[in-house]
Amino acid sequence: MDTALSEICAFIQAIPPFDLLDDNALESVVKEINICYLRNQENLPPDEFAAQTLFILRKGALSYYSAEDELLGMYGEGDICSIYCHEKNTMNIRVRTHEDTLLYAISYPVLQDILQDFPDVIAFFDNSAEQRLQKKMASVNEEAIISSSLINTSITAFYHTPVASIDYKSTIQAAAIKMTDLGYSCLVVLNGDESVGIVTDKDIRRRCVAQGLAISQPITDIITDNITTIDISSNAYDALMIMTSKHIHHLPVTNQGRLEGMVTVTDLMNHEGQNAANLTSIIHKANTVADLVEISKMLPKLQIRMAKLGTTADHVGKSISAITMAFTIRLIEMAEKLLGPAPVPYAWLAAGSQARQEQFAHSDQDNALIISDEMQPEHDKWFFDLATFVSDGLAACGFIYCPGDIMATNSKWRQPQKVWCGYFDKWVNTPSPKALLNASVFFDLSTVHGDTSLLASVRQEMLEKTKRSTLFIAHLSKNALNLRPPLGFFRDFVLVQDGENKKVLDLKHNGIAPIVDLARIYALAEGVAVTSTIERLQQVAGTRSLTKASAANLIDAYEFLAMLRMQHQSKRMQNNKKPNNFLSPKALSKLEREHLKDAFKVIKTMQDARQSAY
Amino acid sequence: MFFDSLFGYEAKRKRLLKKAPEGALRDFLSVPFPDKKQFFVDTPILSVDFETTGLHAINDKLLSVGFVDLHANQIPLKSSYHEIIRSKGRLKADNVTIHQITDSQKDQGESLQLVVEQLLKALTGKVMLVHFARIEREFLQQACLELYGMAPTFPMIDTLMVAKKRLDHRDVAYDPSTLRLSALRNKYQLPEHYAHNALNDAIATAELLMAQVSNMREPMQVRLADLLL
C-alpha cells in the first residue's frame, strides 16, 4: 500500500467497526473514499452527494438536531455519521457542521458490496442502538460463563509433583512419620514404579487407630487400592466433579497411565479461595469484630478478582451483597450474645443497593429495623444497642455510615410494623416529590435477619396501594426524570443536554441510577415484590408498564453500564485508589463509547416514554 | 480576450499541438484545457506532487510522482496514483531521510517515460494543482524535453500563490514560512499529514485548496481565473 493511503488506512482502521477488517478489505474501503470539505454551519449531506452515503469525520465537528431543533449529539474526529446510509432518513435528524470540517464520504451501497464477507461490519451500520447493545451483552455473558469457571483451568495449574510416595513394605508408623515430616495428608504407595494404592490421614484414623491395629503392621493393611485417577489433560472442573461424586479429597494425576502428581480438594478450594461462598463460611466462623475486620479486607480483592475473571456485574453485585449480609448476620448474632435475646420479634432490613443485591465493595450502609407491634417503649434500648453494635461493626469492616442517616441507629428508621405501614401510607397516598426523593431507598427493602413476615406483610399492603395510586407513580416518575443520561461524547468530553461539555461521566447518576429508578417505578406500578433491578425488569416485561422488548433493552443497557462501573472500580482499587463512579472519556475505547451511546439512547427512549405517560 | 487568444494557455496549446510528435504528449495537447471563466466547482483538477533529489530540474532527478483528482469539491481516492521512478546513480543519504525512498525501492521503480505518460494522460483536459509551482513545472517540462523534444505549457493553480495573494492584498509583513504547505493546512485546521510522500502531499494540497476556496467570500462563485497562476 502507498505510504499516503496507509496513513488514511490507519485512521480508518482505528474506528470501530472498521477494526474488524483485514488489510485487503481496508484498502478497498479506503480507495472508495471521497474527501470533501465543509465550512462551519453547512448542512449535511453536501449537495454533491446523493442519498446513501456514509461519512467519517476526519477533522472538525458535526451537530445533530431533532426536527424540533433540539441538540441530539455532537461528533468529532474519528466519529462516523451513518444517518444518510439508507434511502430515507427515518429519524428525521438534521446534521450541521459545527466547525470547518473535513469528511471522508463513502457510498453505502458500494461499501455493502465490498464488505460482503464482513457481515458484522455492515450490521454495525444497519442495526439499531438496541440491537448493537444486545449483541455486545450476549458476547460478554458468554465470555463470563467460560472464563469464570474451573472449566477453563487446566489441572496442571493445581497438581503437586513429584508425588510423595512410600514403599509398600513400609509400616503404618513409617507412613505416618513421613506424612508428618512432609506435612502431607496423603501418600501414594508404590511397588517399584507401580502404584498399588493410596493412604490418607483418614485411613490411619479409621482403619488403624480406631480398629486398634498395631502401627507396626504393613501399610498395605490400610491402603485404598483400586484408586481413582485423572488424566493430566483434564480440567479442574472434571477433577472437582470426580472428587465430589466419589467423596474423595485426593486424586492422583496420571500422564499416559504413569503417576505424575496429585491434586487435592484443598488445592481447588484455595484457587477459588477468595470466592464468595468460601468467604461467607469464614465470616460465619468469626468470633470477634476484629476477626470480621480482618476478613473484610479481602472484599476488594474478591471484587477485583471477579471482575478480572470476566464475571458479570450482576454476579459480582449479588456476591458482594451476600457477603455484606453475612457480615451483618454475624454482627447481629454477636450482639444478641452480648445483649441477650430480643424482647420481641424483629427483622434487620437492608435498604438501597444492598437490598437490590447490587452492592460493590466500599458501599455505604443503608439499614433499618422493623419490630413487632408488641414492642413496648422500654424495649427500644435493646434495639438501639443492637443497631449501634451492628452499624459500628459494619463501619469497622469498611461499610461507611450512611451519609443520609438511613440507619437503624436513627430512631425514625427503628420502628414497629404499624409505624412503617404509616410511613408507606403517607408516601403513597399523599406524595410530595421532595419526600419521595428521600424515601425511594425504602421501596428497595429486604430482610437480612430475623422475622421475614414483618416486612413481607408491610410490603404486600404497600404494593396494593402503589398499584392503584397514579399520583404516586407520577411523582416518582417526575423525580426519576431528573437524572438524564448524557447525549454522548464529543472528542474527550461528555456532552450533556444543553450542549455543555463535561470532563467526566458519572456512571452512577447518569446511567445506572436512571435505570434503577425506572425499574422501581415499573415494579411498584405493577405490584411486583422483587427488589433487584434485573429481576424487576424481567418480571414486569410484557405488562402494560413495559414491553418485553423494552425490558430486554433496559437489561442490556443496565448490564453494560454496571460492567463498565465494575471494571472502572476494580482498576482504581488495584491502584489503591478509592473506587468511584467517575469515568473519563479518555479512558474509554472508541467501541466502549459507541456502546455507551447506545445505552444512553435506550435510557432516553424509556425516559421519554415515561414522561409522555404522565 | 484578444490577448488570451494570442498568448493564453489555450493558444499556446494549439500552437504546440501542431509541432508535437505522435504519442502521449500529442494526445495530451489535443484536448482543450478548461475555460478560465468556468466555476471552480465545475473544473476538473489534478493535484500533483513530485519528490526530487534537489531543486534544479536539469541536474537533479525526479524520484516519485503522486497525483489525485479534485472535482466538484471532492477528492476521490480511487483516482490516486503514486509511482517511484527508476533512475541511475545512488541517492544521497540526506535525501533518503526526507523522502523515505531507498535505493532498492528506486531500482524497482517505473521508467520516467511510463510515469510521465500516465501523468499526461491523467492531466488531459484538467488544470494542474500544486503547492509551489516551480518544481513541478520545471521538472515536468524538463522530462518532456528529454522524452519528446519539447516542453508543453499547462494551466496551473498554486496553493502557495493563492495564499500569498491574500496576504499581499492585506499589505502587511508576513513570515514566508507561513506559506509552507503544513503551515497553511494548520491555519485551516486541516489534520497533520505525513509530508514528503508525493501522493500524500498531492492529497494534502487538494484538501488545502478546498479549504482556501471555501473560505473565500462566495465559494460557489469562485472561477478558475481567480485561482490560476
Side-chain angles (χ1 to χ4, degrees), chain A residues 48-103:
Chain A
E48 301 83 35
F49 291 93
Q52 306 190 50
T53 308
L54 179 85
F55 295 98
I56 301 165
L57 260 119
R58 179 65 182 90
K59 191 82 207 276
L62 297 179
S63 305
Y64 286 25
Y65 296 92
S66 70
E68 292 79 36
D69 226 24
E70 177 197 3
L71 180 67
L72 297 174
M74 278 180 70
Y75 295 79
E77 289 76 20
D79 285 330
I80 291 174
C81 169
S82 57
I83 300 269
Y84 303 105
C85 279
H86 300 282
E87 202 81 58
K88 256 185 135 182
N89 175 6
T90 46
M91 317 276 285
N92 218 352
I93 292 173
R94 290 185 305 103
V95 181
R96 207 155 56 217
T97 54
H98 195 74
E99 294 171 4
D100 293 351
T101 298
L102 194 65
L103 288 172

Side-chain angles (χ1 to χ4, degrees), chain A residues 486-531:
Chain A
L487 297 175
F489 301 96
F490 176 58
R491 299 199 171 119
D492 280 335
F493 293 100
V494 181
L495 186 71
V496 294
Q497 264 73 24
D498 45 11
E500 206 183 304
N501 288 323
K502 288 216 155 94
K503 281 208 177 85
V504 289
L505 171 67
D506 183 342
L507 271 177
K508 185 177 173 186
H509 291 102
N510 298 126
I512 293 168
I515 302 179
V516 169
D517 288 346
L518 284 171
R520 180 185 305 115
I521 294 166
Y522 302 138
L524 294 176
E526 294 298 328
V528 165
V530 293
T531 48

Side-chain angles (χ1 to χ4, degrees), chain A residues 2-5 7-8 30-39 42 47-49 58-60 99-100 102 104 110, chain B residues 72-78 80-82 185 188-194 197 199-200 203 207 210-211 214-216:
Chain A
D2 291 320
T3 325
L5 294 185
E7 194 184 28
I8 299 175
V30 166
K31 286 264 180 194
E32 290 302 329
I33 287 177
N34 283 308
I35 304 174
C36 51
Y37 183 90
L38 292 181
R39 291 222 53 200
E42 282 188 56
D47 299 336
E48 301 83 35
F49 291 93
R58 179 65 182 90
K59 191 82 207 276
E99 294 171 4
D100 293 351
L102 194 65
Y104 291 165
V110 170
Chain B
N73 264 324
Q74 287 179 55
I75 305 165
L77 292 185
K78 210 184 249 175
S80 65
Y81 173 94
H82 184 250
R185 284 176 60 85
Y188 289 102
Q189 271 142 43
L190 290 165
E192 295 283 324
H193 80 293
Y194 172 75
N197 165 287
L199 174 55
N200 221 346
I203 294 172
E207 288 176 350
M210 284 200 290
S214 294
N215 280 278
M216 290 177 180

Side-chain angles (χ1 to χ4, degrees), chain A residues 442-461:
Chain A
F442 292 109
F443 290 93
D444 309 338
L445 278 180
S446 72
T447 303
V448 171
H449 182 79
D451 187 347
T452 51
S453 68
L454 290 168
L455 176 64
S457 63
V458 171
R459 194 201 306 274
Q460 199 49 47
E461 216 174 290

Side-chain angles (χ1 to χ4, degrees), chain A residues 329-463:
Chain A
I329 293 172
R330 192 70 196 121
L331 283 165
I332 294 170
E333 286 167 355
M334 287 177 187
E336 283 184 339
K337 212 167 164 189
L338 203 73
L339 304 170
V344 290
Y346 74 99
W348 182 277
L349 307 180
S353 66
Q354 198 201 331
R356 293 193 307 269
Q357 298 182 288
E358 290 157 11
Q359 200 177 24
F360 282 170
H362 297 289
S363 299
D364 47 351
Q365 42 172 312
D366 290 325
N367 49 51
L369 272 170
I370 185 167
I371 304 162
S372 159
D373 285 340
E374 299 155 29
M375 179 193 186
Q376 300 301 312
E378 65 269 23
H379 293 152
D380 188 56
K381 167 96 174 62
W382 189 93
F383 288 107
F384 175 73
D385 290 345
L386 170 77
T388 308
F389 183 90
V390 175
S391 71
D392 287 352
L394 284 172
C397 290
F399 304 95
I400 58 165
Y401 297 111
C402 171
D405 205 17
I406 295 169
M407 293 197 298
T409 46
N410 180 345
S411 63
K412 204 173 167 194
W413 312 126
R414 186 178 68 246
Q415 292 292 338
Q417 208 180 12
K418 57 183 182 227
V419 176
W420 279 103
C421 280
Y423 287 163
F424 282 107
D425 268 354
K426 198 167 160 240
W427 287 326
V428 177
N429 292 339
T430 50
S432 80
K434 195 171 172 286
L436 280 183
L437 207 55
N438 300 323
S440 69
V441 70
F442 292 109
F443 290 93
D444 309 338
L445 278 180
S446 72
T447 303
V448 171
H449 182 79
D451 187 347
T452 51
S453 68
L454 290 168
L455 176 64
S457 63
V458 171
R459 194 201 306 274
Q460 199 49 47
E461 216 174 290
M462 179 262 285
L463 288 173

Side-chain angles (χ1 to χ4, degrees), chain B residues 16 25 29 137 140-142 144-145 148-154:
Chain B
L16 287 170
L25 185 64
L29 290 169
R137 180 167 48 214
L140 182 55
Q141 285 183 332
Q142 180 61 31
C144 286
L145 264 178
Y148 312 110
M150 61 188 290
T153 55
F154 28 81

